[in-house]
């Protein structure tokens, strides 16, 4: 028995030595060993990007309501009828009138521009036509119906991104008059939302005079589309000066005016809203506007911070600087979009920034399942002064926040891989 054990030990040792010898640097090119990447590594092909986009689009086409019905009877509402409390959107997974859907409409319009396909634009026009058809009747009903927030907004969430989307759609050829929505957006942002004495936009919840980083996106892109450039620049700088951490080059989520201390929680999606706003500023401010150089500098500073925190999987974490918080899809998609868009627009060096965008897209694509659901997205989130709130926010494939960012990211990556040649060079992704 002892003899057998000795033989087994010697045999296993010789086997181990053979393996060590076979895999040594003297006998094999170790640099050529294939890494065990968690998702595809390298530049996606245009057809691969299109496949992901198509899955998302096909899902949204059937999952987004396209008419109104009576909640009790199921009867389809038509223009000319009274818009009652019982009048609701037909069954669907999402509300086509939310700020999240303002982002989705932007993504669809970008896809139409990049691919030349009218189906994305038609998606937007059909849903906006539905909303427009009901506004005259809904205005006569003062109760809290499904269009109440658009007609009587109480927060920037209700009107800012939707107003932006309507103007973008008009620029893309949308023929229907929705001036009521754009006028309502203008009035609310400029005249009705709460402000500090220096006119900085502010919320009165959860505490009086609280600044939410989210509101950069809820207000500023709408201001840009309405031509209110100086107000957009003012608000951008007001938020940047208070909420951007120049040591980390990322933003805090919340700021309590007049507080002595400001607990910093660097929530990923809020940083996404700020980054996306910076991108919109550079895209839609006049080319000769004097604020542009400083805004471009801010884009690069923010990306310097964000890229230093990108996870090896390609994702970013729910709390950017806390790598024990979960990997989050919607923020990763926004960062991917802005980096790729910045390259496409000539703001960013494709050699330096391109690999991070491609890695981000491969991560995002891995979260689009066969049904077209976007997985791994944090649900709607308020503001807190403790880490547990952010660490344990649920994720859901029915969190509307994931879909617009994925479409935007897909549009920019599609353009990137069609116009720039990225290859594996010396085992890593580089611009050819």
């Amino acid at each position: 028995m002892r003899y057998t054990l000795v033989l087994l030990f010697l045999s296993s040792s010789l086997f181990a030595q053979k393996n060590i010898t076979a895999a040594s640097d003297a006998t094999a090119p170790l640099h050529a060993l294939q890494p065990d990447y968690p998702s595809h590594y390298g530049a996606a092909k245009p057809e691969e990007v299109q496949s992901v986009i198509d899955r998302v689009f096909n899902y949204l086409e059937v999952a987004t309501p396209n008419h109104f019905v009576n909640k009790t009877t199921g009867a389809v509402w038509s223009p000319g009828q009274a818009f009652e409390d019982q009048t609701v959107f037909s069954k669907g997974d999402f509300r086509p009138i939310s700020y999240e859907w303002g982002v989705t409409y932007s993504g669809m319009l970008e896809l139409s521009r990049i691919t030349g396909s009218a189906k994305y634009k038609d998606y937007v026009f059909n849903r906006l036509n539905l909303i427009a058809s009901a506004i005259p009747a809904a205005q006569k009903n003062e109760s809290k119906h499904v269009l109440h927030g658009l007609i009587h907004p109480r927060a920037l969430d209700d009107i800012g991104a939707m107003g932006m989307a309507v103007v973008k759609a008009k620029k893309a050829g949308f023929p229907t008059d929705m001036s009521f929505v754009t006028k309502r957006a203008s009035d609310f942002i400029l005249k009705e939302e709460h402000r500090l004495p220096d006119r900085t936009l502010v919320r009165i919840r959860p505490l009086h005079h609280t600044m939410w980083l989210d509101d950069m996106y809820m207000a500023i892109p709408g201001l840009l589309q309405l031509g209110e450039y100086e107000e957009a620049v003012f608000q951008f700088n007001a938020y940047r000066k208070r909420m951007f951490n120049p040591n980390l080059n990322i933003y805090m989520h919340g700021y309590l005016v007049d507080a002595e201390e400001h607990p910093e929680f660097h929530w990923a999606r809020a940083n996404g809203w700020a980054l996306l706003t910076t991108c919109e500023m550079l895209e839609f401010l006049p080319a000769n506007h004097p604020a542009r150089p400083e805004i471009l500098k801010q884009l690069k500073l923010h990306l310097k911070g964000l890229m230093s925190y990108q996870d090896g999987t390609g994702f970013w974490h729910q709390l950017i600087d806390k790598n024990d918080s979960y990997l989050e899809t919607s923020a990763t998609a926004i960062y991917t979009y802005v980096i790729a868009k910045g390259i496409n627009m000539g703001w960013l060096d494709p050699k330096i920034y391109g690999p991070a965008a491609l890695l981000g897209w491969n991560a995002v694509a891995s979260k689009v399942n066969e049904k077209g659901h976007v997985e791994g997205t944090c649900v709607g989130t308020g503001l807190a002064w403790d880490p547990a709130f952010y660490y344990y926010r649920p994720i859901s494939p029915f969190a509307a926040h994931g879909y617009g960012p994925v479409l935007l990211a897909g549009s920019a990556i599609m353009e990137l891989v069609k116009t720039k040649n990225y290859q594996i060079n010396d085992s890593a992704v580089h611009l050819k």
Side-chain angles (χ1 to χ4, degrees):
M1 180 68 177
R2 184 178 177 186
Y3 179 75
T4 303
L5 288 173
V6 169
L7 285 176
L8 285 171
F9 173 77
L10 290 172
S11 176
S12 63
S13 298
L14 288 169
F15 178 76
Q17 288 175 3
K18 279 186 178 181
N19 277 353
I20 291 169
T21 302
S24 74
D25 201 45
T27 60
L30 295 183
H31 67 274
L33 293 176
Q34 291 302 304
D36 189 19
Y37 292 118
S39 59
H40 173 69
Y41 181 76
K45 297 176 182 177
E47 59 270 23
E48 293 170 339
V49 180
Q50 187 67 58
S51 175
V52 175
I53 292 167
D54 283 344
R55 292 204 302 276
V56 175
F57 175 83
N58 291 338
Y59 166 58
L60 294 183
E61 180 67 13
V62 299
T64 314
N66 56 15
H67 55 276
F68 293 103
V69 297
N70 182 284
K71 184 177 181 179
T72 302
T73 67
V76 175
W77 178 90
S78 60
Q81 294 180 324
F83 199 88
E84 302 170 342
D85 299 358
Q86 289 287 306
T87 306
V88 297
F89 286 109
S90 57
K91 186 178 180 181
D93 293 337
F94 306 101
R95 295 174 298 121
I97 200 168
S98 62
Y99 72 83
E100 303 97 325
W101 237 243
V103 185
T104 300
Y105 294 142
S106 282
M108 292 285 188
L109 293 171
E110 275 290 278
L111 282 169
S112 190
R113 182 182 68 82
I114 295 298
T115 67
S117 173
K119 69 180 183 180
Y120 306 112
K121 187 165 60 175
D122 290 344
Y123 173 95
V124 179
F125 290 5
N126 290 339
R127 271 67 185 186
L128 291 183
N129 269 324
L130 172 66
I131 295 164
S133 72
I135 286 176
Q139 285 177 281
K140 299 174 183 177
N141 183 351
E142 292 296 320
S143 64
K144 277 200 136 185
H145 50 70
V146 293
L147 298 186
H148 189 269
L150 197 65
I151 296 169
H152 302 289
R154 298 182 62 189
L156 290 169
D157 294 5
D158 294 332
I159 193 71
M162 283 298 297
M164 170 205 70
V166 167
V167 180
K168 285 184 174 182
K170 294 294 285 187
K171 291 177 179 178
F174 180 56
T176 305
D177 179 13
M178 289 193 77
S179 56
F180 171 83
V181 173
T182 54
K183 178 67 164 56
R184 199 69 199 85
S186 176
D187 286 346
F188 186 81
I189 299 171
L190 294 173
K191 302 174 185 178
E192 300 172 28
E193 179 59 297
H194 299 282
R195 290 174 179 252
L196 299 177
D198 72 353
R199 82 172 197 270
T200 300
L201 292 164
V202 69
R203 300 196 189 203
I204 58 171
R205 65 179 177 88
L207 299 171
H208 191 66
H209 282 179
T210 307
M211 293 175 65
W212 297 40
L213 188 61
D214 316 52
D215 285 345
M216 289 183 75
Y217 187 79
M218 302 307 154
I220 294 172
L223 290 169
L224 290 167
Q225 295 304 319
L226 294 165
E228 298 286 349
Y229 302 126
E230 300 316 310
E231 182 68 12
V233 171
F234 172 81
Q235 296 297 339
F236 182 86
N237 286 329
Y239 276 74
R240 176 180 59 84
K241 289 173 182 176
R242 290 177 173 92
M243 303 183 75
F244 187 70
N245 184 323
N247 297 315
L248 300 177
N249 287 315
I250 53 179
Y251 286 87
M252 66 179 77
H253 183 206
Y255 181 97
L256 185 61
V257 177
D258 299 327
E260 292 184 5
E261 302 293 336
H262 298 280
E264 293 197 23
F265 294 97
H266 307 110
W267 182 40
R269 189 160 64 231
N271 270 261
W273 296 138
L275 187 69
L276 189 52
T277 299
T278 310
C279 181
E280 294 273 312
M281 292 284 282
L282 289 169
E283 184 170 10
F284 294 107
L285 271 182
N288 61 350
H289 196 285
R292 291 187 66 87
E294 192 64 26
I295 294 169
L296 180 58
K297 179 181 176 182
Q298 178 63 19
L299 175 70
K300 292 180 178 179
L301 284 173
H302 197 185
L303 287 176
K304 180 180 180 180
L306 291 173
M307 288 169 62
S308 73
Y309 289 112
Q310 188 174 23
D311 187 78
T313 60
F315 289 99
W316 276 265
H317 290 268
Q318 161 80 341
L319 285 174
I320 297 168
D321 53 339
K322 303 293 184 183
N323 61 11
D324 58 340
S325 65
Y326 61 79
L327 302 172
E328 206 280 329
T329 304
S330 66
T332 300
I334 295 173
Y335 304 165
T336 298
Y337 167 70
V338 174
I339 297 170
K341 178 82 171 183
I343 294 169
N344 296 336
M345 297 293 287
W347 308 327
L348 302 175
D349 185 340
K351 298 187 297 296
I352 303 303
Y353 291 90
L358 295 169
L359 184 64
W361 171 254
N362 290 339
V364 168
S366 74
K367 289 296 184 179
V368 177
N369 67 27
E370 289 305 310
K371 295 179 179 179
H373 297 165
V374 175
E375 300 174 337
T377 296
C378 174
V379 300
T381 295
L383 183 149
W385 306 127
D386 67 86
F389 175 78
Y390 296 98
Y391 270 79
Y392 296 102
R393 291 302 290 160
I395 59 173
S396 173
F398 301 108
H401 310 72
Y403 289 86
V406 169
L407 295 176
L408 284 168
S411 71
I413 290 292
M414 176 74 78
E415 185 172 12
L416 182 68
V417 298
K418 283 183 175 180
T419 57
K420 300 287 190 293
N421 189 355
Y422 287 91
Q423 294 183 342
I424 301 294
N425 183 0
D426 202 14
S427 302
V429 177
H430 292 284
L431 180 69
K432 184 177 181 182

